[in-house]
Amino acid sequence: MSITSKVRQSVVLAADGQVQKLISGTATDIGKANIMTVFAQSSDADGEIKLYNEADSSKTASALIFHGKFGTAANHVHEFKLPGAGIYANTGIYADLTNIDFFYIVGTF
């Protein structure tokens, strides 16, 4: 079975928070994941996304697993495609969003 057989999209976030998946229609925090794509739309210039391998909002510097910045104005859309199997998170994924209208990840979880 290839890694792409379990590729899913997370629940869309419009503010900081735990990245979640849907299980039988219920949003549940993602525990373990290979993040393959990060997708977002900016609400202003310099949209910024920080992802932490954490199950809470601690935002510990050593737990930072992704930091992306993009856009020169509102409504810019950007897709960060990560090579290979992507970035692995084994504790949870906390998203810290700045100047972002909406955000989601695509990966295996």
Side-chain angles (χ1 to χ4, degrees), residues 59-107:
K59 297 190 276 187
T60 309
S62 62
L64 181 67
I65 56 174
F66 176 84
H67 185 182
K69 197 168 185 175
F70 70 98
T72 57
N75 302 319
H76 282 198
V77 174
H78 196 78
E79 181 177 22
F80 296 94
K81 291 186 177 184
L82 306 171
I87 297 172
Y88 182 63
N90 64 354
T91 304
I93 305 168
Y94 183 80
D96 180 14
L97 309 175
T98 304
N99 296 335
I100 300 293
D101 276 334
F102 71 88
F103 150 89
Y104 64 85
I105 65 168
V106 173

Side-chain angles (χ1 to χ4, degrees), residues 2-70:
S2 72
I3 192 167
T4 57
S5 67
K6 296 187 276 180
V7 174
R8 296 181 175 100
Q9 175 185 317
S10 71
V11 174
V12 173
L13 287 179
D16 295 357
Q18 286 301 127
V19 181
Q20 298 182 319
K21 60 186 174 183
L22 288 177
I23 297 178
S24 300
T26 303
T28 305
D29 291 350
I30 295 172
K32 293 182 181 180
N34 281 2
I35 303 165
M36 301 166 65
T37 302
V38 177
F39 188 90
Q41 178 177 314
S42 63
S43 60
D44 203 347
D46 297 327
E48 188 170 12
I49 303 161
K50 292 180 182 177
L51 300 179
Y52 295 87
N53 185 20
E54 293 183 319
D56 59 27
S57 61
S58 298
K59 297 190 276 187
T60 309
S62 62
L64 181 67
I65 56 174
F66 176 84
H67 185 182
K69 197 168 185 175
F70 70 98

